[in-house]
Short mmCIF file of all heavy atoms in Angstrom, two decimals:
data_model
loop_
_atom_site.label_atom_id
_atom_site.label_comp_id
_atom_site.label_asym_id
_atom_site.label_seq_id
_atom_site.Cartn_x
_atom_site.Cartn_y
_atom_site.Cartn_z
N PHE A 1 0.84 -1.17 0.00
CA PHE A 1 0.03 -0.02 0.04
C PHE A 1 0.87 1.23 -0.04
O PHE A 1 2.11 1.16 0.22
CB PHE A 1 -1.03 0.04 1.20
CG PHE A 1 -0.42 -0.02 2.46
CD1 PHE A 1 -0.02 1.17 3.09
CD2 PHE A 1 -0.19 -1.09 3.26
CE1 PHE A 1 0.53 1.22 4.41
CE2 PHE A 1 0.33 -1.15 4.51
CZ PHE A 1 0.68 0.12 5.00
N ALA A 2 0.25 2.35 -0.23
CA ALA A 2 0.93 3.58 -0.27
C ALA A 2 0.18 4.61 0.55
O ALA A 2 -0.95 4.41 0.96
CB ALA A 2 1.05 4.09 -1.71
N ASP A 3 0.86 5.84 0.94
CA ASP A 3 0.20 6.77 1.71
C ASP A 3 -0.82 7.50 0.85
O ASP A 3 -0.89 7.26 -0.39
CB ASP A 3 1.05 7.79 2.44
CG ASP A 3 1.96 8.52 1.40
OD1 ASP A 3 1.73 8.45 0.21
OD2 ASP A 3 2.89 9.16 2.00
N GLY A 4 -1.65 8.38 1.35
CA GLY A 4 -2.70 9.02 0.59
C GLY A 4 -2.12 10.01 -0.54
O GLY A 4 -2.87 10.33 -1.44
N ASP A 5 -0.87 10.39 -0.35
CA ASP A 5 -0.30 11.36 -1.38
C ASP A 5 0.33 10.47 -2.51
O ASP A 5 0.91 9.41 -2.31
CB ASP A 5 0.85 12.14 -0.72
CG ASP A 5 0.26 13.08 0.34
OD1 ASP A 5 -0.79 13.48 0.25
OD2 ASP A 5 1.07 13.28 1.35
N GLU A 6 0.18 11.02 -3.67
CA GLU A 6 0.78 10.34 -4.87
C GLU A 6 2.23 10.76 -4.82
O GLU A 6 2.66 11.80 -4.93
CB GLU A 6 0.05 10.82 -6.11
CG GLU A 6 -1.39 10.39 -6.28
CD GLU A 6 -1.48 8.82 -6.32
OE1 GLU A 6 -0.63 8.13 -6.82
OE2 GLU A 6 -2.45 8.37 -5.69
N ASP A 7 3.12 9.68 -4.81
CA ASP A 7 4.55 9.94 -4.72
C ASP A 7 5.24 8.92 -5.70
O ASP A 7 6.30 8.39 -5.36
CB ASP A 7 5.07 9.91 -3.36
CG ASP A 7 4.90 8.46 -2.72
OD1 ASP A 7 4.20 7.63 -3.34
OD2 ASP A 7 5.41 8.32 -1.63
N GLY A 8 4.65 8.77 -6.85
CA GLY A 8 5.27 7.76 -7.77
C GLY A 8 5.06 6.37 -7.48
O GLY A 8 5.59 5.43 -7.97
N GLY A 9 4.04 6.00 -6.59
CA GLY A 9 3.71 4.63 -6.46
C GLY A 9 4.63 3.84 -5.47
O GLY A 9 4.60 2.60 -5.58
N LYS A 10 5.38 4.57 -4.68
CA LYS A 10 6.40 3.91 -3.78
C LYS A 10 5.64 3.18 -2.68
O LYS A 10 4.72 3.78 -2.06
CB LYS A 10 7.40 4.81 -3.25
CG LYS A 10 8.29 5.41 -4.20
CD LYS A 10 9.35 6.24 -3.59
CE LYS A 10 10.30 6.88 -4.67
NZ LYS A 10 11.18 7.76 -4.05
N ALA A 11 5.88 1.91 -2.46
CA ALA A 11 5.24 1.15 -1.38
C ALA A 11 5.66 1.65 0.02
O ALA A 11 6.79 2.07 0.20
CB ALA A 11 5.53 -0.40 -1.52
N LYS A 12 4.63 1.72 0.86
CA LYS A 12 4.95 2.17 2.24
C LYS A 12 4.72 1.09 3.33
O LYS A 12 4.93 1.27 4.50
CB LYS A 12 4.03 3.33 2.57
CG LYS A 12 4.08 4.55 1.69
CD LYS A 12 5.39 5.21 1.85
CE LYS A 12 5.30 6.44 0.88
NZ LYS A 12 6.55 7.26 0.99
N GLY A 13 4.32 -0.08 2.81
CA GLY A 13 4.13 -1.23 3.68
C GLY A 13 3.36 -2.27 2.98
O GLY A 13 3.20 -2.29 1.78
N PHE A 14 2.98 -3.36 3.71
CA PHE A 14 2.18 -4.45 3.03
C PHE A 14 1.17 -5.04 3.99
O PHE A 14 1.42 -5.08 5.14
CB PHE A 14 3.11 -5.50 2.45
CG PHE A 14 4.00 -6.22 3.41
CD1 PHE A 14 3.65 -7.40 4.03
CD2 PHE A 14 5.29 -5.68 3.76
CE1 PHE A 14 4.42 -8.08 4.89
CE2 PHE A 14 6.01 -6.36 4.71
CZ PHE A 14 5.65 -7.48 5.21
N VAL A 15 0.11 -5.46 3.43
CA VAL A 15 -0.95 -6.11 4.18
C VAL A 15 -0.69 -7.54 4.46
O VAL A 15 -0.23 -8.30 3.55
CB VAL A 15 -2.36 -5.98 3.43
CG1 VAL A 15 -3.45 -6.81 4.13
CG2 VAL A 15 -2.68 -4.52 3.17
N THR A 16 -0.69 -7.96 5.72
CA THR A 16 -0.43 -9.33 6.12
C THR A 16 -1.71 -10.19 6.16
O THR A 16 -1.55 -11.53 5.88
CB THR A 16 0.22 -9.39 7.49
OG1 THR A 16 -0.57 -8.81 8.48
CG2 THR A 16 1.54 -8.63 7.47
N SER A 17 -2.82 -9.68 6.50
CA SER A 17 -4.10 -10.48 6.53
C SER A 17 -5.26 -9.56 6.35
O SER A 17 -5.18 -8.38 6.65
CB SER A 17 -4.21 -11.32 7.81
OG SER A 17 -4.08 -10.44 9.01
N ILE A 18 -6.37 -10.04 5.80
CA ILE A 18 -7.56 -9.39 5.61
C ILE A 18 -8.75 -10.21 5.80
O ILE A 18 -8.63 -11.46 5.48
CB ILE A 18 -7.53 -8.71 4.18
CG1 ILE A 18 -8.72 -7.74 4.07
CG2 ILE A 18 -7.47 -9.80 3.07
CD1 ILE A 18 -8.63 -6.84 2.74
N ALA A 19 -9.92 -9.75 6.28
CA ALA A 19 -11.07 -10.49 6.49
C ALA A 19 -12.24 -9.52 6.58
O ALA A 19 -12.08 -8.38 6.91
CB ALA A 19 -10.98 -11.39 7.64
N HIS A 20 -13.45 -10.11 6.30
CA HIS A 20 -14.69 -9.31 6.55
C HIS A 20 -15.04 -9.46 8.06
O HIS A 20 -15.03 -10.52 8.59
CB HIS A 20 -15.80 -9.79 5.63
CG HIS A 20 -17.06 -9.06 5.87
ND1 HIS A 20 -17.99 -9.47 6.86
CD2 HIS A 20 -17.46 -7.85 5.37
CE1 HIS A 20 -19.00 -8.51 6.76
NE2 HIS A 20 -18.68 -7.60 5.97
N SER A 21 -15.38 -8.35 8.63
CA SER A 21 -15.85 -8.47 10.08
C SER A 21 -17.25 -8.20 10.17
O SER A 21 -17.80 -7.05 9.87
CB SER A 21 -15.13 -7.39 10.90
OG SER A 21 -15.68 -7.22 12.14
N PRO A 22 -18.10 -9.19 10.54
CA PRO A 22 -19.56 -8.84 10.69
C PRO A 22 -19.84 -7.83 11.82
O PRO A 22 -20.82 -7.08 11.67
CB PRO A 22 -20.11 -10.25 11.08
CG PRO A 22 -19.01 -11.31 10.70
CD PRO A 22 -17.77 -10.59 10.73
N THR A 23 -19.03 -7.86 12.85
CA THR A 23 -19.29 -6.85 13.86
C THR A 23 -18.98 -5.44 13.46
O THR A 23 -19.83 -4.53 13.77
CB THR A 23 -18.22 -7.16 15.02
OG1 THR A 23 -18.48 -8.52 15.54
CG2 THR A 23 -18.50 -6.14 16.30
N VAL A 24 -17.97 -5.21 12.72
CA VAL A 24 -17.64 -3.88 12.17
C VAL A 24 -18.47 -3.58 10.93
O VAL A 24 -18.82 -2.42 10.60
CB VAL A 24 -16.16 -3.73 11.84
CG1 VAL A 24 -15.76 -2.47 11.18
CG2 VAL A 24 -15.24 -3.87 13.03
N GLY A 25 -18.91 -4.60 10.24
CA GLY A 25 -19.66 -4.47 8.99
C GLY A 25 -18.77 -3.99 7.85
O GLY A 25 -19.34 -3.38 6.96
N ALA A 26 -17.57 -4.36 7.90
CA ALA A 26 -16.69 -3.96 6.71
C ALA A 26 -15.42 -4.83 6.79
O ALA A 26 -15.31 -5.72 7.63
CB ALA A 26 -16.18 -2.46 6.89
N MET A 27 -14.63 -4.67 5.78
CA MET A 27 -13.30 -5.45 5.71
C MET A 27 -12.34 -4.85 6.69
O MET A 27 -12.35 -3.62 6.91
CB MET A 27 -12.67 -5.40 4.29
CG MET A 27 -13.61 -5.96 3.18
SD MET A 27 -13.91 -7.77 3.45
CE MET A 27 -12.43 -8.40 3.08
N ILE A 28 -11.57 -5.67 7.35
CA ILE A 28 -10.50 -5.17 8.24
C ILE A 28 -9.28 -5.93 7.80
O ILE A 28 -9.24 -6.95 7.22
CB ILE A 28 -10.83 -5.52 9.72
CG1 ILE A 28 -11.05 -7.01 10.00
CG2 ILE A 28 -12.05 -4.73 10.14
CD1 ILE A 28 -11.20 -7.40 11.42
N ALA A 29 -8.11 -5.25 8.22
CA ALA A 29 -6.83 -5.87 7.83
C ALA A 29 -5.73 -5.48 8.80
O ALA A 29 -5.85 -4.53 9.53
CB ALA A 29 -6.44 -5.38 6.42
N LEU A 30 -4.71 -6.33 8.78
CA LEU A 30 -3.53 -6.02 9.57
C LEU A 30 -2.45 -5.79 8.54
O LEU A 30 -2.40 -6.48 7.52
CB LEU A 30 -3.22 -7.18 10.47
CG LEU A 30 -4.17 -7.52 11.64
CD1 LEU A 30 -3.72 -8.69 12.42
CD2 LEU A 30 -4.20 -6.32 12.62
N ALA A 31 -1.49 -4.89 8.94
CA ALA A 31 -0.44 -4.59 7.87
C ALA A 31 0.83 -4.17 8.63
O ALA A 31 0.84 -3.65 9.68
CB ALA A 31 -0.93 -3.55 6.92
N TYR A 32 1.97 -4.28 7.98
CA TYR A 32 3.26 -3.68 8.33
C TYR A 32 3.27 -2.35 7.67
O TYR A 32 3.05 -2.30 6.44
CB TYR A 32 4.41 -4.54 7.99
CG TYR A 32 4.60 -5.79 8.84
CD1 TYR A 32 4.29 -7.02 8.41
CD2 TYR A 32 5.08 -5.56 10.14
CE1 TYR A 32 4.49 -8.10 9.25
CE2 TYR A 32 5.26 -6.66 11.01
CZ TYR A 32 4.97 -8.05 10.48
OH TYR A 32 5.11 -9.05 11.34
N ALA A 33 3.57 -1.31 8.42
CA ALA A 33 3.65 0.00 7.72
C ALA A 33 4.77 0.82 8.21
O ALA A 33 5.31 0.61 9.47
CB ALA A 33 2.33 0.84 8.08
N ARG A 34 5.22 1.79 7.46
CA ARG A 34 6.28 2.74 7.90
C ARG A 34 5.77 3.48 9.16
O ARG A 34 4.56 3.79 9.12
CB ARG A 34 6.76 3.56 6.84
CG ARG A 34 7.36 2.81 5.66
CD ARG A 34 8.05 3.74 4.67
NE ARG A 34 8.66 2.93 3.75
CZ ARG A 34 9.71 3.26 2.96
NH1 ARG A 34 10.11 4.45 3.05
NH2 ARG A 34 10.17 2.48 2.06
N THR A 35 6.55 3.81 10.00
CA THR A 35 6.16 4.56 11.28
C THR A 35 5.41 5.83 10.96
O THR A 35 4.42 6.05 11.70
CB THR A 35 7.47 4.80 12.13
OG1 THR A 35 8.14 3.64 12.40
CG2 THR A 35 7.01 5.44 13.48
N ALA A 36 5.68 6.52 9.97
CA ALA A 36 5.02 7.85 9.67
C ALA A 36 3.49 7.57 9.38
O ALA A 36 2.70 8.48 9.47
CB ALA A 36 5.66 8.48 8.55
N LEU A 37 3.21 6.30 9.02
CA LEU A 37 1.76 6.05 8.68
C LEU A 37 0.97 5.43 9.73
O LEU A 37 -0.14 4.92 9.51
CB LEU A 37 1.74 5.20 7.37
CG LEU A 37 2.23 5.87 6.15
CD1 LEU A 37 2.22 4.93 4.98
CD2 LEU A 37 1.44 7.14 5.74
N THR A 38 1.52 5.13 11.01
CA THR A 38 0.89 4.38 11.90
C THR A 38 -0.03 5.18 12.82
O THR A 38 -0.76 4.56 13.67
CB THR A 38 1.91 3.58 12.81
OG1 THR A 38 2.78 4.49 13.40
CG2 THR A 38 2.77 2.58 11.97
N ALA A 39 -0.13 6.45 12.76
CA ALA A 39 -1.04 7.17 13.59
C ALA A 39 -2.48 6.91 13.26
O ALA A 39 -2.79 6.93 12.07
CB ALA A 39 -0.71 8.69 13.47
N PRO A 40 -3.40 6.66 14.25
CA PRO A 40 -4.70 6.46 13.96
C PRO A 40 -5.29 7.68 13.20
O PRO A 40 -4.96 8.80 13.52
CB PRO A 40 -5.35 6.34 15.32
CG PRO A 40 -4.30 5.80 16.21
CD PRO A 40 -2.98 6.48 15.63
N GLY A 41 -6.04 7.45 12.23
CA GLY A 41 -6.61 8.40 11.39
C GLY A 41 -5.82 8.51 10.07
O GLY A 41 -6.36 9.23 9.13
N SER A 42 -4.60 8.06 9.96
CA SER A 42 -3.88 8.21 8.67
C SER A 42 -4.63 7.40 7.63
O SER A 42 -5.22 6.40 7.80
CB SER A 42 -2.50 7.50 8.87
OG SER A 42 -1.72 8.18 9.87
N ARG A 43 -4.62 8.05 6.39
CA ARG A 43 -5.22 7.44 5.20
C ARG A 43 -4.18 6.85 4.40
O ARG A 43 -3.00 7.35 4.22
CB ARG A 43 -5.89 8.54 4.45
CG ARG A 43 -7.07 9.23 5.19
CD ARG A 43 -8.22 8.44 5.66
NE ARG A 43 -8.85 7.75 4.47
CZ ARG A 43 -9.92 6.96 4.64
NH1 ARG A 43 -10.42 6.75 5.83
NH2 ARG A 43 -10.45 6.37 3.66
N VAL A 44 -4.48 5.56 3.88
CA VAL A 44 -3.52 4.88 2.98
C VAL A 44 -4.29 4.36 1.71
O VAL A 44 -5.53 4.21 1.80
CB VAL A 44 -2.78 3.79 3.69
CG1 VAL A 44 -1.97 4.16 4.83
CG2 VAL A 44 -3.79 2.69 4.27
N ARG A 45 -3.55 4.09 0.67
CA ARG A 45 -4.17 3.47 -0.47
C ARG A 45 -3.68 2.00 -0.54
O ARG A 45 -2.47 1.84 -0.55
CB ARG A 45 -3.75 4.23 -1.77
CG ARG A 45 -4.42 3.69 -2.97
CD ARG A 45 -3.79 4.19 -4.34
NE ARG A 45 -2.52 3.63 -4.51
CZ ARG A 45 -1.35 4.23 -4.61
NH1 ARG A 45 -1.29 5.58 -4.72
NH2 ARG A 45 -0.20 3.62 -4.84
N VAL A 46 -4.63 1.04 -0.60
CA VAL A 46 -4.23 -0.29 -0.65
C VAL A 46 -4.52 -0.75 -2.13
O VAL A 46 -5.66 -0.62 -2.60
CB VAL A 46 -5.05 -1.16 0.30
CG1 VAL A 46 -4.75 -2.68 0.22
CG2 VAL A 46 -4.90 -0.67 1.75
N ASP A 47 -3.54 -1.27 -2.80
CA ASP A 47 -3.68 -1.77 -4.16
C ASP A 47 -4.16 -3.22 -4.11
O ASP A 47 -3.56 -4.08 -3.45
CB ASP A 47 -2.33 -1.74 -4.86
CG ASP A 47 -1.96 -0.32 -5.10
OD1 ASP A 47 -2.81 0.55 -5.33
OD2 ASP A 47 -0.70 0.03 -4.95
N THR A 48 -5.34 -3.52 -4.72
CA THR A 48 -5.96 -4.82 -4.74
C THR A 48 -6.06 -5.30 -6.17
O THR A 48 -5.93 -4.44 -7.04
CB THR A 48 -7.31 -4.88 -4.06
OG1 THR A 48 -8.24 -4.13 -4.97
CG2 THR A 48 -7.33 -4.02 -2.73
N PRO A 49 -6.37 -6.58 -6.37
CA PRO A 49 -6.59 -7.09 -7.75
C PRO A 49 -7.77 -6.41 -8.44
O PRO A 49 -7.86 -6.21 -9.67
CB PRO A 49 -6.98 -8.54 -7.53
CG PRO A 49 -6.30 -8.89 -6.22
CD PRO A 49 -6.36 -7.65 -5.40
N ASP A 50 -8.69 -5.80 -7.66
CA ASP A 50 -9.79 -5.01 -8.19
C ASP A 50 -9.56 -3.60 -8.32
O ASP A 50 -10.48 -2.80 -8.66
CB ASP A 50 -11.06 -5.33 -7.31
CG ASP A 50 -11.52 -6.71 -7.36
OD1 ASP A 50 -11.31 -7.36 -8.42
OD2 ASP A 50 -12.02 -7.20 -6.37
N GLY A 51 -8.35 -3.07 -8.03
CA GLY A 51 -8.00 -1.69 -8.06
C GLY A 51 -7.72 -1.14 -6.75
O GLY A 51 -7.82 -1.82 -5.70
N PRO A 52 -7.33 0.12 -6.65
CA PRO A 52 -6.91 0.78 -5.39
C PRO A 52 -8.15 0.99 -4.53
O PRO A 52 -9.25 1.26 -4.99
CB PRO A 52 -6.25 2.05 -5.79
CG PRO A 52 -6.74 2.34 -7.18
CD PRO A 52 -7.10 1.08 -7.76
N VAL A 53 -7.95 0.84 -3.15
CA VAL A 53 -8.93 1.01 -2.16
C VAL A 53 -8.40 2.01 -1.14
O VAL A 53 -7.29 1.87 -0.73
CB VAL A 53 -9.39 -0.31 -1.54
CG1 VAL A 53 -10.42 -0.08 -0.43
CG2 VAL A 53 -9.93 -1.28 -2.55
N SER A 54 -9.26 2.96 -0.66
CA SER A 54 -8.82 3.80 0.47
C SER A 54 -9.00 3.20 1.74
O SER A 54 -10.17 2.57 2.01
CB SER A 54 -9.57 5.12 0.33
OG SER A 54 -9.26 6.02 1.40
N ALA A 55 -8.16 3.36 2.67
CA ALA A 55 -8.25 2.71 3.97
C ALA A 55 -7.76 3.70 5.05
O ALA A 55 -7.04 4.63 4.77
CB ALA A 55 -7.40 1.44 4.08
N GLU A 56 -8.27 3.48 6.23
CA GLU A 56 -7.88 4.26 7.43
C GLU A 56 -7.26 3.46 8.50
O GLU A 56 -7.65 2.39 8.77
CB GLU A 56 -9.07 5.00 8.01
CG GLU A 56 -8.80 5.86 9.19
CD GLU A 56 -10.08 6.47 9.80
OE1 GLU A 56 -11.13 6.36 9.19
OE2 GLU A 56 -9.95 7.08 10.80
N VAL A 57 -6.06 3.97 9.08
CA VAL A 57 -5.43 3.33 10.18
C VAL A 57 -6.19 3.48 11.37
O VAL A 57 -6.62 4.68 11.77
CB VAL A 57 -3.98 3.84 10.30
CG1 VAL A 57 -3.31 3.31 11.50
CG2 VAL A 57 -3.14 3.73 9.04
N VAL A 58 -6.49 2.41 12.22
CA VAL A 58 -7.23 2.47 13.39
C VAL A 58 -6.44 1.71 14.51
O VAL A 58 -5.62 0.92 14.12
CB VAL A 58 -8.69 2.03 13.31
CG1 VAL A 58 -9.42 2.73 12.32
CG2 VAL A 58 -8.68 0.57 12.91
N GLU A 59 -6.79 1.97 15.70
CA GLU A 59 -6.09 1.21 16.76
C GLU A 59 -6.78 -0.08 16.96
O GLU A 59 -7.97 -0.32 16.60
CB GLU A 59 -6.26 1.97 18.15
CG GLU A 59 -5.52 3.26 18.15
CD GLU A 59 -5.53 3.96 19.50
OE1 GLU A 59 -5.81 3.25 20.51
OE2 GLU A 59 -5.43 5.14 19.56
N THR A 60 -6.03 -1.12 17.40
CA THR A 60 -6.59 -2.41 17.72
C THR A 60 -6.95 -2.43 19.28
O THR A 60 -6.33 -1.73 20.01
CB THR A 60 -5.58 -3.55 17.41
OG1 THR A 60 -4.46 -3.36 18.12
CG2 THR A 60 -5.34 -3.63 15.97
N PRO A 61 -7.90 -3.17 19.75
CA PRO A 61 -8.78 -4.00 18.88
C PRO A 61 -9.75 -3.16 18.09
O PRO A 61 -10.02 -2.13 18.36
CB PRO A 61 -9.51 -4.90 19.92
CG PRO A 61 -9.49 -4.05 21.13
CD PRO A 61 -8.36 -3.17 21.14
N PHE A 62 -10.15 -3.80 16.96
CA PHE A 62 -11.14 -3.18 16.08
C PHE A 62 -12.49 -2.92 16.70
O PHE A 62 -13.21 -2.02 16.18
CB PHE A 62 -11.30 -3.99 14.74
CG PHE A 62 -9.97 -4.20 14.04
CD1 PHE A 62 -9.48 -5.38 13.82
CD2 PHE A 62 -9.31 -3.06 13.44
CE1 PHE A 62 -8.34 -5.65 13.04
CE2 PHE A 62 -8.11 -3.28 12.77
CZ PHE A 62 -7.64 -4.54 12.62
N VAL A 63 -12.78 -3.65 17.66
CA VAL A 63 -14.14 -3.49 18.42
C VAL A 63 -13.83 -3.33 19.80
O VAL A 63 -12.88 -3.79 20.31
CB VAL A 63 -15.03 -4.70 18.11
CG1 VAL A 63 -15.42 -4.80 16.67
CG2 VAL A 63 -14.49 -6.02 18.53
N PRO A 64 -14.73 -2.74 20.58
CA PRO A 64 -14.59 -2.59 22.03
C PRO A 64 -14.49 -3.93 22.61
O PRO A 64 -15.21 -4.86 22.24
CB PRO A 64 -15.87 -1.89 22.51
CG PRO A 64 -16.43 -1.22 21.27
CD PRO A 64 -15.97 -2.05 20.10
N THR A 65 -13.52 -4.11 23.67
CA THR A 65 -13.29 -5.40 24.19
C THR A 65 -14.52 -6.02 24.97
O THR A 65 -14.62 -7.18 25.14
CB THR A 65 -12.05 -5.35 25.17
OG1 THR A 65 -12.38 -4.31 26.07
CG2 THR A 65 -10.86 -5.10 24.36
N ALA A 66 -15.42 -5.08 25.35
CA ALA A 66 -16.68 -5.56 26.00
C ALA A 66 -17.49 -6.41 25.11
O ALA A 66 -18.17 -7.32 25.59
CB ALA A 66 -17.52 -4.43 26.43
N PHE A 67 -17.34 -6.32 23.80
CA PHE A 67 -18.14 -7.09 22.92
C PHE A 67 -17.33 -8.35 22.41
O PHE A 67 -17.88 -9.25 21.88
CB PHE A 67 -18.50 -6.31 21.54
CG PHE A 67 -19.37 -5.12 21.95
CD1 PHE A 67 -18.90 -3.83 21.74
CD2 PHE A 67 -20.72 -5.28 22.30
CE1 PHE A 67 -19.75 -2.85 22.09
CE2 PHE A 67 -21.55 -4.27 22.60
CZ PHE A 67 -21.03 -3.00 22.47
N ALA A 68 -16.09 -8.36 22.68
CA ALA A 68 -15.25 -9.44 22.17
C ALA A 68 -14.71 -10.28 23.34
O ALA A 68 -14.07 -11.31 23.05
CB ALA A 68 -14.04 -8.88 21.41
N LYS A 69 -15.08 -10.00 24.55
CA LYS A 69 -14.59 -10.84 25.63
C LYS A 69 -15.21 -12.18 25.71
O LYS A 69 -16.42 -12.37 25.58
CB LYS A 69 -14.89 -10.14 26.99
CG LYS A 69 -14.22 -10.85 28.13
CD LYS A 69 -14.43 -10.01 29.47
CE LYS A 69 -13.55 -8.75 29.41
NZ LYS A 69 -13.65 -8.03 30.69
N VAL A 70 -14.43 -13.33 25.83
CA VAL A 70 -14.84 -14.63 25.86
C VAL A 70 -14.30 -15.26 27.21
O VAL A 70 -13.12 -15.09 27.51
CB VAL A 70 -14.35 -15.51 24.68
CG1 VAL A 70 -14.80 -16.89 24.88
CG2 VAL A 70 -14.90 -14.81 23.35
N THR A 71 -15.21 -15.87 27.93
CA THR A 71 -14.74 -16.58 29.16
C THR A 71 -14.68 -18.04 28.86
O THR A 71 -15.60 -18.63 28.39
CB THR A 71 -15.81 -16.30 30.28
OG1 THR A 71 -16.02 -14.84 30.37
CG2 THR A 71 -15.35 -16.79 31.59
N ALA A 72 -13.56 -18.54 29.37
CA ALA A 72 -13.31 -20.02 29.33
C ALA A 72 -14.23 -20.75 30.23
O ALA A 72 -14.44 -20.24 31.35
CB ALA A 72 -11.90 -20.28 29.48
N PRO A 73 -14.68 -21.94 29.84
CA PRO A 73 -15.54 -22.68 30.79
C PRO A 73 -14.79 -23.18 32.01
O PRO A 73 -13.65 -23.30 32.03
CB PRO A 73 -15.95 -23.92 29.91
CG PRO A 73 -15.21 -23.95 28.68
CD PRO A 73 -14.48 -22.60 28.63
#
């Protein structure tokens, strides 16, 4: 992926995993990124087989932990 600015298409990181989240209602992904792009709210362009997609950097967890907490039996 690249940052939101056009800079000749230089890669700024890469996506390691992606999945649809029913809780979030959208696709979510994990990626390695250059430090300058890791601030929450940063916009990046992700190149996909279907064309470029705009994405936003967010903190993990993607959902509030109150909704994701699981208690072992």
Side-chain angles (χ1 to χ4, degrees):
F1 63 85
D3 61 11
D5 299 326
E6 292 300 323
D7 62 355
K10 293 182 181 177
K12 304 291 183 180
F14 62 93
V15 175
T16 60
S17 57
I18 187 169
H20 181 266
S21 169
T23 303
V24 175
M27 298 299 288
I28 59 173
L30 295 174
Y32 285 106
R34 294 191 180 202
T35 305
L37 296 175
T38 59
S42 296
R43 301 296 302 180
V44 295
R45 184 191 75 233
V46 180
D47 295 323
T48 74
D50 295 327
V53 176
S54 178
E56 179 181 352
V57 176
V58 298
E59 293 185 26
T60 57
F62 299 116
V63 297
T65 55
F67 296 113
K69 188 177 283 186
V70 176
T71 305

